[in-house]
Amino acid sequence: MAVTLDQTIAHKQHSFMSRLLATQTFWVVVAVILACLFLSFATDSFATPKNLYNITRNVTFVAIVALGMTFVIITGGIDLSVGSVLCLCSMILAVTMHAGYGIEIGIAAAIATALIIGAFNGILIAYLGFPPFVVTLGMLSIARSLAMVASNNTVVFQFGPDHDKLLALGGGAWVFGIANPVFYTIVLALITGFVLRWTKFGRHIFAIGGNEHAATLTGVPVRQIKVAVYMISALAAGIAGIIQTGWLGAVTTNLGNGMELQVIAATVIGGANLAGGVGTAFGAIVGAALIEVIRNSLGLLGINAFWQGVFIGGAILLAVLFDRIRNFRRSD
Amino acid sequence: MDFKIAVSGRSWGERAAAEPQAGKQGEARRLVAVLELTNISKHFGAIQAVNDVSLSIEPGQVVGLMGDNGAGKSTLVKMIAGNFRPSHGTMQMDGKELILHKPVEARQHGIEIVHQDLALCNNLTAAANVYLGRELRRGVGPFRILDYAAMYKRAGQIFAVLKSETRPRDLVKQMSGGQRQAVAIARTMLSQAKIVLMDEPTAAISVRQVAEVLNLIRHLRDQGIAVVLISHRMPDVFDVADRVIVMRRGRKVADKTIASSSPEEVTGLITGAIEQVS
Ligand SMILES: Nc1ncnc2c1ncn2[C@@H]1O[C@H](COP(=O)(O)OP(=O)(O)OP(=O)(O)O)[C@@H](O)[C@H]1O
Ligand SMILES: [Mg+2]
């Protein structure tokens, strides 16, 4: 016999290159790069510092929330409340600081709010068996309403004694001249990627999304992990809210309205599967980038903004279509 | 015995491979039961899945557990594996009371199980599935990361022992029925078990692989490990088992040595044509 059993077992079926070419994320990256190249040549206004500044800033807020959402989606869940949670956390931060408390207290209050909401979602889903869609849909409504209550539906733009610190937190560029929101996004993406690939927690998240029953049978602490992923998702929304508050310098109760759909779109375009078990940190980032580039380019190319939804929706369908084609090919 | 001590750092699987000629240790069997169930019942709401079952299993014994669909076989072994808690009754291991809250505790006691549905995650690799719930990590303190290399290596060694052409890095999604079964069986070989529970391990695999699984069961037995084999295949049970236990509608209706029974009798017990034998 030419090939021994040991050789078969040791054989790696796919090379690095073939695996790379088979990922949806890779092709989305290609699409983003091509779009950027095209826009740089086709318009004068794309590759300007000011436009790039706008794009990167807009990408970061969606991207940070999408990183948190990735955890939830990998477990096979969904979190529709992120936009409202972002708004509520921003508002808690703003109202606390406006009342004269320092930035540390404001941030602590915002983070605590996020974690409590995440835990609430998670416990209803994991321990009481509520469907994630319903729980987080309810929270979408509750959190935004609470934000209105907290601010009496006013715009907050005075952040007390630490006003300047907060604006610097969101608007500054403390490390190597990289704008702070971009820097935070990179750090959070690296942490997310690390957790998903290298920790037991990350492995268990994938297991739950792949086969929750099997995870339970083999002793994975499924319920605790589910609570944790909804807390992470809310935390990501809270962090994005804090940064966005510092960057905008004002909070309205409209903040993050409809953001959940953009975030979910970003993760799906980046290769996450809503059925669970698949998703990456990098995918969430490039998904967010592609959406923003599409939005930005329509403006620059002078296409009526009403078409935006068509193009973003088309991108979602294309990304998923790509995944389907790959599966068809494999099943041949 | 000396040999056993010399390689005690390795799992039984390798040892079995290293010592294929190991004689049956039947004569040296201790009489104390490794596992003893007393009046175990389990109900799910109004469904009485297991009803007042008592049994004891000795080290190195292979027990065939048979019964019709829904007889309560899987439920019984899941209680032993820490997946369900009994509604009534007690379990003892090596003479000490055994209370299990979760599967991890059962594994710590040396109880391993191959689940009927195999309990595999399609989106993970074979190695990841083998180690599911007990991943190997390296590093210190909070900075412990998954040890991919060690898990691939160990899983590969186990597949070699199982004579299964299963690649540790492949996704379970693309695997054949036999390979999937090998992955599920490999889990039981990660540590030195005292009892291995196999819930229909030979369903959906080829004749050659059935023979492989039966050989494996004999190896386990020779190591002094007790095996509970759930199967609907009469020849398999009569081939490897020392004893056969028959369940019907949650009750134990027979518990005899293979030598004193026959396939006809067991069939009668399963269907209810024979009410009960002692
Ligand atoms: N988690 C559960 N919840 C409710 N009922 C259950 C559960 N698990 C098993 N049952 C019921 O308990 C009874 C025994 O089921 P069990 O799976 O133990 O049978 P089995 O002997 O393994 O059958 P098979 O040969 O088909 O695998 C069945 O009536 C089944 O419907
Ligand atoms: Mg069963």
Side-chain angles (χ1 to χ4, degrees), chain A residues 8 22 26 42 44 48 81 89 91 121 127 154 159-160 164 180 183 196 208 229-230 252 254 260 267 310 328:
Chain A
T8 314
F26 173 79
D44 300 329
T48 58
S81 67
C89 292
M91 205 49 102
N121 285 342
Y127 286 89
T154 53
F159 302 112
D164 294 336
N180 279 351
F183 177 71
L196 289 178
I208 292 171
V229 295
Y230 286 94
T252 70
N254 250 340
E260 54 282 345
T267 52
V310 172
F328 281 137

PDB file of all heavy atoms in Angstrom, chain A residues 8 22 26 42 44 48 81 89 91 121 127 154 159-160 164 180 183 196 208 229-230 252 254 260 267 310 328:
ATOM      1  N   THR A   8      -2.346   9.290   5.864  1.00  0.00           N
ATOM      2  CA  THR A   8      -3.680   9.831   5.584  1.00  0.00           C
ATOM      3  C   THR A   8      -4.135  10.731   6.717  1.00  0.00           C
ATOM      4  O   THR A   8      -4.665  11.814   6.502  1.00  0.00           O
ATOM      5  CB  THR A   8      -4.693   8.680   5.450  1.00  0.00           C
ATOM      6  OG1 THR A   8      -4.123   7.685   4.619  1.00  0.00           O
ATOM      7  CG2 THR A   8      -5.997   9.177   4.871  1.00  0.00           C
ATOM      8  N   ALA A  22     -11.371  30.430  -0.432  1.00  0.00           N
ATOM      9  CA  ALA A  22     -12.714  29.899  -0.200  1.00  0.00           C
ATOM     10  C   ALA A  22     -13.490  30.706   0.827  1.00  0.00           C
ATOM     11  O   ALA A  22     -14.640  30.408   1.099  1.00  0.00           O
ATOM     12  CB  ALA A  22     -12.619  28.438   0.255  1.00  0.00           C
ATOM     13  N   PHE A  26     -12.519  37.063   2.396  1.00  0.00           N
ATOM     14  CA  PHE A  26     -11.466  37.424   1.457  1.00  0.00           C
ATOM     15  C   PHE A  26     -12.033  38.189   0.272  1.00  0.00           C
ATOM     16  O   PHE A  26     -11.511  39.224  -0.142  1.00  0.00           O
ATOM     17  CB  PHE A  26     -10.748  36.157   0.984  1.00  0.00           C
ATOM     18  CG  PHE A  26      -9.743  36.406  -0.108  1.00  0.00           C
ATOM     19  CD1 PHE A  26      -8.495  36.923   0.191  1.00  0.00           C
ATOM     20  CD2 PHE A  26     -10.059  36.128  -1.427  1.00  0.00           C
ATOM     21  CE1 PHE A  26      -7.577  37.158  -0.812  1.00  0.00           C
ATOM     22  CE2 PHE A  26      -9.146  36.359  -2.434  1.00  0.00           C
ATOM     23  CZ  PHE A  26      -7.899  36.871  -2.127  1.00  0.00           C
ATOM     24  N   ALA A  42     -12.065  57.526 -10.234  1.00  0.00           N
ATOM     25  CA  ALA A  42     -13.274  58.061 -10.852  1.00  0.00           C
ATOM     26  C   ALA A  42     -13.708  59.402 -10.255  1.00  0.00           C
ATOM     27  O   ALA A  42     -14.400  60.167 -10.917  1.00  0.00           O
ATOM     28  CB  ALA A  42     -14.415  57.053 -10.733  1.00  0.00           C
ATOM     29  N   ASP A  44     -12.630  62.924  -7.698  1.00  0.00           N
ATOM     30  CA  ASP A  44     -11.542  63.682  -7.079  1.00  0.00           C
ATOM     31  C   ASP A  44     -11.707  63.727  -5.577  1.00  0.00           C
ATOM     32  O   ASP A  44     -10.766  63.972  -4.837  1.00  0.00           O
ATOM     33  CB  ASP A  44     -11.537  65.131  -7.594  1.00  0.00           C
ATOM     34  CG  ASP A  44     -11.337  65.171  -9.090  1.00  0.00           C
ATOM     35  OD1 ASP A  44     -10.658  64.266  -9.600  1.00  0.00           O
ATOM     36  OD2 ASP A  44     -11.882  66.098  -9.731  1.00  0.00           O
ATOM     37  N   THR A  48      -9.512  62.066  -0.588  1.00  0.00           N
ATOM     38  CA  THR A  48      -9.075  63.261   0.133  1.00  0.00           C
ATOM     39  C   THR A  48      -9.042  62.947   1.628  1.00  0.00           C
ATOM     40  O   THR A  48      -9.801  62.111   2.101  1.00  0.00           O
ATOM     41  CB  THR A  48     -10.067  64.423  -0.083  1.00  0.00           C
ATOM     42  OG1 THR A  48     -11.356  64.000   0.372  1.00  0.00           O
ATOM     43  CG2 THR A  48     -10.149  64.796  -1.547  1.00  0.00           C
ATOM     44  N   SER A  81     -31.196  44.769  19.893  1.00  0.00           N
ATOM     45  CA  SER A  81     -31.293  45.924  20.792  1.00  0.00           C
ATOM     46  C   SER A  81     -30.072  46.831  20.756  1.00  0.00           C
ATOM     47  O   SER A  81     -30.046  47.848  21.440  1.00  0.00           O
ATOM     48  CB  SER A  81     -31.530  45.444  22.229  1.00  0.00           C
ATOM     49  OG  SER A  81     -30.398  44.760  22.712  1.00  0.00           O
ATOM     50  N   CYS A  89     -26.766  54.026  26.590  1.00  0.00           N
ATOM     51  CA  CYS A  89     -25.473  54.164  27.270  1.00  0.00           C
ATOM     52  C   CYS A  89     -24.901  55.560  27.051  1.00  0.00           C
ATOM     53  O   CYS A  89     -24.351  56.169  27.980  1.00  0.00           O
ATOM     54  CB  CYS A  89     -24.497  53.101  26.783  1.00  0.00           C
ATOM     55  SG  CYS A  89     -24.979  51.454  27.310  1.00  0.00           S
ATOM     56  N   MET A  91     -26.573  58.198  26.560  1.00  0.00           N
ATOM     57  CA  MET A  91     -27.394  59.113  27.325  1.00  0.00           C
ATOM     58  C   MET A  91     -27.057  59.044  28.809  1.00  0.00           C
ATOM     59  O   MET A  91     -26.993  60.071  29.485  1.00  0.00           O
ATOM     60  CB  MET A  91     -28.870  58.769  27.075  1.00  0.00           C
ATOM     61  CG  MET A  91     -29.800  59.917  27.287  1.00  0.00           C
ATOM     62  SD  MET A  91     -29.259  61.408  26.444  1.00  0.00           S
ATOM     63  CE  MET A  91     -30.314  61.413  25.015  1.00  0.00           C
ATOM     64  N   ASN A 121     -31.024  40.431  28.902  1.00  0.00           N
ATOM     65  CA  ASN A 121     -31.317  39.723  27.645  1.00  0.00           C
ATOM     66  C   ASN A 121     -30.886  38.260  27.740  1.00  0.00           C
ATOM     67  O   ASN A 121     -31.639  37.341  27.412  1.00  0.00           O
ATOM     68  CB  ASN A 121     -30.549  40.355  26.475  1.00  0.00           C
ATOM     69  CG  ASN A 121     -31.151  41.673  26.014  1.00  0.00           C
ATOM     70  OD1 ASN A 121     -32.303  41.961  26.320  1.00  0.00           O
ATOM     71  ND2 ASN A 121     -30.380  42.455  25.293  1.00  0.00           N
ATOM     72  N   TYR A 127     -31.864  31.067  30.215  1.00  0.00           N
ATOM     73  CA  TYR A 127     -32.451  30.331  31.334  1.00  0.00           C
ATOM     74  C   TYR A 127     -33.962  30.167  31.213  1.00  0.00           C
ATOM     75  O   TYR A 127     -34.526  29.214  31.717  1.00  0.00           O
ATOM     76  CB  TYR A 127     -32.100  31.010  32.656  1.00  0.00           C
ATOM     77  CG  TYR A 127     -30.654  30.789  33.041  1.00  0.00           C
ATOM     78  CD1 TYR A 127     -29.669  31.660  32.605  1.00  0.00           C
ATOM     79  CD2 TYR A 127     -30.269  29.682  33.799  1.00  0.00           C
ATOM     80  CE1 TYR A 127     -28.334  31.450  32.924  1.00  0.00           C
ATOM     81  CE2 TYR A 127     -28.945  29.464  34.124  1.00  0.00           C
ATOM     82  CZ  TYR A 127     -27.989  30.346  33.686  1.00  0.00           C
ATOM     83  OH  TYR A 127     -26.673  30.122  33.997  1.00  0.00           O
ATOM     84  N   THR A 154     -34.315  65.417  25.535  1.00  0.00           N
ATOM     85  CA  THR A 154     -33.600  66.619  25.099  1.00  0.00           C
ATOM     86  C   THR A 154     -32.250  66.228  24.505  1.00  0.00           C
ATOM     87  O   THR A 154     -31.830  65.079  24.620  1.00  0.00           O
ATOM     88  CB  THR A 154     -33.332  67.555  26.290  1.00  0.00           C
ATOM     89  OG1 THR A 154     -32.673  66.799  27.309  1.00  0.00           O
ATOM     90  CG2 THR A 154     -34.615  68.159  26.820  1.00  0.00           C
ATOM     91  N   PHE A 159     -21.154  68.503  29.022  1.00  0.00           N
ATOM     92  CA  PHE A 159     -20.774  67.315  29.775  1.00  0.00           C
ATOM     93  C   PHE A 159     -20.046  67.638  31.080  1.00  0.00           C
ATOM     94  O   PHE A 159     -19.152  66.913  31.497  1.00  0.00           O
ATOM     95  CB  PHE A 159     -19.947  66.381  28.900  1.00  0.00           C
ATOM     96  CG  PHE A 159     -20.680  65.957  27.652  1.00  0.00           C
ATOM     97  CD1 PHE A 159     -20.258  66.396  26.407  1.00  0.00           C
ATOM     98  CD2 PHE A 159     -21.806  65.152  27.729  1.00  0.00           C
ATOM     99  CE1 PHE A 159     -20.931  66.016  25.260  1.00  0.00           C
ATOM    100  CE2 PHE A 159     -22.482  64.774  26.581  1.00  0.00           C
ATOM    101  CZ  PHE A 159     -22.050  65.207  25.344  1.00  0.00           C
ATOM    102  N   GLY A 160     -20.375  68.752  31.700  1.00  0.00           N
ATOM    103  CA  GLY A 160     -19.854  69.063  33.026  1.00  0.00           C
ATOM    104  C   GLY A 160     -18.357  69.324  33.045  1.00  0.00           C
ATOM    105  O   GLY A 160     -17.763  69.663  32.018  1.00  0.00           O
ATOM    106  N   ASP A 164     -14.149  68.442  28.205  1.00  0.00           N
ATOM    107  CA  ASP A 164     -13.063  68.378  27.221  1.00  0.00           C
ATOM    108  C   ASP A 164     -12.429  66.992  27.163  1.00  0.00           C
ATOM    109  O   ASP A 164     -12.036  66.525  26.095  1.00  0.00           O
ATOM    110  CB  ASP A 164     -12.012  69.428  27.544  1.00  0.00           C
ATOM    111  CG  ASP A 164     -12.581  70.827  27.360  1.00  0.00           C
ATOM    112  OD1 ASP A 164     -13.547  70.948  26.584  1.00  0.00           O
ATOM    113  OD2 ASP A 164     -12.081  71.767  28.016  1.00  0.00           O
ATOM    114  N   ASN A 180      -8.563  58.265  17.515  1.00  0.00           N
ATOM    115  CA  ASN A 180      -8.927  57.383  18.627  1.00  0.00           C
ATOM    116  C   ASN A 180      -9.965  56.316  18.279  1.00  0.00           C
ATOM    117  O   ASN A 180      -9.758  55.143  18.582  1.00  0.00           O
ATOM    118  CB  ASN A 180      -9.405  58.200  19.822  1.00  0.00           C
ATOM    119  CG  ASN A 180      -8.226  58.740  20.613  1.00  0.00           C
ATOM    120  OD1 ASN A 180      -7.080  58.361  20.351  1.00  0.00           O
ATOM    121  ND2 ASN A 180      -8.487  59.621  21.552  1.00  0.00           N
ATOM    122  N   PHE A 183      -8.365  53.617  16.460  1.00  0.00           N
ATOM    123  CA  PHE A 183      -7.466  52.872  17.338  1.00  0.00           C
ATOM    124  C   PHE A 183      -8.249  51.895  18.225  1.00  0.00           C
ATOM    125  O   PHE A 183      -7.900  50.724  18.342  1.00  0.00           O
ATOM    126  CB  PHE A 183      -6.667  53.852  18.203  1.00  0.00           C
ATOM    127  CG  PHE A 183      -5.768  53.181  19.184  1.00  0.00           C
ATOM    128  CD1 PHE A 183      -4.621  52.513  18.759  1.00  0.00           C
ATOM    129  CD2 PHE A 183      -6.063  53.184  20.545  1.00  0.00           C
ATOM    130  CE1 PHE A 183      -3.792  51.881  19.659  1.00  0.00           C
ATOM    131  CE2 PHE A 183      -5.242  52.548  21.451  1.00  0.00           C
ATOM    132  CZ  PHE A 183      -4.104  51.894  21.008  1.00  0.00           C
ATOM    133  N   LEU A 196     -11.921  34.557  20.009  1.00  0.00           N
ATOM    134  CA  LEU A 196     -12.629  33.569  19.200  1.00  0.00           C
ATOM    135  C   LEU A 196     -11.726  32.402  18.807  1.00  0.00           C
ATOM    136  O   LEU A 196     -12.159  31.260  18.780  1.00  0.00           O
ATOM    137  CB  LEU A 196     -13.200  34.223  17.939  1.00  0.00           C
ATOM    138  CG  LEU A 196     -14.381  35.172  18.165  1.00  0.00           C
ATOM    139  CD1 LEU A 196     -14.828  35.782  16.857  1.00  0.00           C
ATOM    140  CD2 LEU A 196     -15.536  34.438  18.837  1.00  0.00           C
ATOM    141  N   ILE A 208     -21.598  25.945  20.398  1.00  0.00           N
ATOM    142  CA  ILE A 208     -23.021  26.190  20.645  1.00  0.00           C
ATOM    143  C   ILE A 208     -23.736  26.506  19.337  1.00  0.00           C
ATOM    144  O   ILE A 208     -24.832  26.011  19.065  1.00  0.00           O
ATOM    145  CB  ILE A 208     -23.201  27.329  21.670  1.00  0.00           C
ATOM    146  CG1 ILE A 208     -22.702  26.878  23.044  1.00  0.00           C
ATOM    147  CG2 ILE A 208     -24.665  27.773  21.746  1.00  0.00           C
ATOM    148  CD1 ILE A 208     -22.642  27.990  24.068  1.00  0.00           C
ATOM    149  N   VAL A 229     -22.406  36.115  25.989  1.00  0.00           N
ATOM    150  CA  VAL A 229     -22.336  36.725  24.648  1.00  0.00           C
ATOM    151  C   VAL A 229     -23.305  37.906  24.524  1.00  0.00           C
ATOM    152  O   VAL A 229     -22.968  38.898  23.869  1.00  0.00           O
ATOM    153  CB  VAL A 229     -22.579  35.724  23.492  1.00  0.00           C
ATOM    154  CG1 VAL A 229     -21.482  34.677  23.436  1.00  0.00           C
ATOM    155  CG2 VAL A 229     -23.939  35.099  23.525  1.00  0.00           C
ATOM    156  N   TYR A 230     -24.463  37.830  25.181  1.00  0.00           N
ATOM    157  CA  TYR A 230     -25.358  38.987  25.103  1.00  0.00           C
ATOM    158  C   TYR A 230     -24.801  40.154  25.912  1.00  0.00           C
ATOM    159  O   TYR A 230     -25.012  41.323  25.570  1.00  0.00           O
ATOM    160  CB  TYR A 230     -26.782  38.602  25.542  1.00  0.00           C
ATOM    161  CG  TYR A 230     -27.459  37.781  24.473  1.00  0.00           C
ATOM    162  CD1 TYR A 230     -27.419  36.394  24.504  1.00  0.00           C
ATOM    163  CD2 TYR A 230     -28.053  38.398  23.368  1.00  0.00           C
ATOM    164  CE1 TYR A 230     -27.980  35.636  23.493  1.00  0.00           C
ATOM    165  CE2 TYR A 230     -28.614  37.652  22.364  1.00  0.00           C
ATOM    166  CZ  TYR A 230     -28.576  36.268  22.430  1.00  0.00           C
ATOM    167  OH  TYR A 230     -29.116  35.526  21.415  1.00  0.00           O
ATOM    168  N   THR A 252     -28.403  62.781  21.121  1.00  0.00           N
ATOM    169  CA  THR A 252     -29.850  62.907  20.983  1.00  0.00           C
ATOM    170  C   THR A 252     -30.458  61.531  21.178  1.00  0.00           C
ATOM    171  O   THR A 252     -29.761  60.512  21.098  1.00  0.00           O
ATOM    172  CB  THR A 252     -30.254  63.395  19.579  1.00  0.00           C
ATOM    173  OG1 THR A 252     -29.980  62.334  18.664  1.00  0.00           O
ATOM    174  CG2 THR A 252     -29.465  64.622  19.177  1.00  0.00           C
ATOM    175  N   ASN A 254     -32.068  60.047  19.215  1.00  0.00           N
ATOM    176  CA  ASN A 254     -32.119  59.398  17.906  1.00  0.00           C
ATOM    177  C   ASN A 254     -30.880  58.574  17.607  1.00  0.00           C
ATOM    178  O   ASN A 254     -30.831  57.846  16.622  1.00  0.00           O
ATOM    179  CB  ASN A 254     -32.207  60.475  16.817  1.00  0.00           C
ATOM    180  CG  ASN A 254     -33.556  60.475  16.183  1.00  0.00           C
ATOM    181  OD1 ASN A 254     -34.265  59.471  16.292  1.00  0.00           O
ATOM    182  ND2 ASN A 254     -33.919  61.566  15.550  1.00  0.00           N
ATOM    183  N   GLU A 260     -29.045  48.562  14.305  1.00  0.00           N
ATOM    184  CA  GLU A 260     -28.970  47.101  14.407  1.00  0.00           C
ATOM    185  C   GLU A 260     -28.947  46.443  13.030  1.00  0.00           C
ATOM    186  O   GLU A 260     -28.241  45.465  12.812  1.00  0.00           O
ATOM    187  CB  GLU A 260     -30.127  46.541  15.250  1.00  0.00           C
ATOM    188  CG  GLU A 260     -31.541  46.930  14.836  1.00  0.00           C
ATOM    189  CD  GLU A 260     -31.925  48.331  15.270  1.00  0.00           C
ATOM    190  OE1 GLU A 260     -31.221  48.895  16.129  1.00  0.00           O
ATOM    191  OE2 GLU A 260     -32.903  48.882  14.748  1.00  0.00           O
ATOM    192  N   THR A 267     -21.992  42.078   9.681  1.00  0.00           N
ATOM    193  CA  THR A 267     -21.485  40.760  10.075  1.00  0.00           C
ATOM    194  C   THR A 267     -21.796  39.715   9.009  1.00  0.00           C
ATOM    195  O   THR A 267     -20.970  38.858   8.721  1.00  0.00           O
ATOM    196  CB  THR A 267     -22.079  40.295  11.424  1.00  0.00           C
ATOM    197  OG1 THR A 267     -23.491  40.409  11.350  1.00  0.00           O
ATOM    198  CG2 THR A 267     -21.578  41.113  12.566  1.00  0.00           C
ATOM    199  N   VAL A 310     -30.893  50.022  -1.819  1.00  0.00           N
ATOM    200  CA  VAL A 310     -30.807  49.006  -2.865  1.00  0.00           C
ATOM    201  C   VAL A 310     -29.395  48.441  -2.941  1.00  0.00           C
ATOM    202  O   VAL A 310     -29.201  47.222  -3.018  1.00  0.00           O
ATOM    203  CB  VAL A 310     -31.214  49.599  -4.236  1.00  0.00           C
ATOM    204  CG1 VAL A 310     -30.934  48.600  -5.352  1.00  0.00           C
ATOM    205  CG2 VAL A 310     -32.679  50.004  -4.217  1.00  0.00           C
ATOM    206  N   PHE A 328     -22.839  24.836  -3.212  1.00  0.00           N
ATOM    207  CA  PHE A 328     -23.290  24.027  -4.347  1.00  0.00           C
ATOM    208  C   PHE A 328     -22.107  23.292  -4.945  1.00  0.00           C
ATOM    209  O   PHE A 328     -22.153  22.109  -5.219  1.00  0.00           O
ATOM    210  CB  PHE A 328     -23.930  24.902  -5.428  1.00  0.00           C
ATOM    211  CG  PHE A 328     -25.335  25.298  -5.097  1.00  0.00           C
ATOM    212  CD1 PHE A 328     -25.775  26.600  -5.304  1.00  0.00           C
ATOM    213  CD2 PHE A 328     -26.226  24.379  -4.576  1.00  0.00           C
ATOM    214  CE1 PHE A 328     -27.063  26.969  -4.993  1.00  0.00           C
ATOM    215  CE2 PHE A 328     -27.524  24.738  -4.272  1.00  0.00           C
ATOM    216  CZ  PHE A 328     -27.939  26.043  -4.478  1.00  0.00           C
TER     217      PHE A 328
END
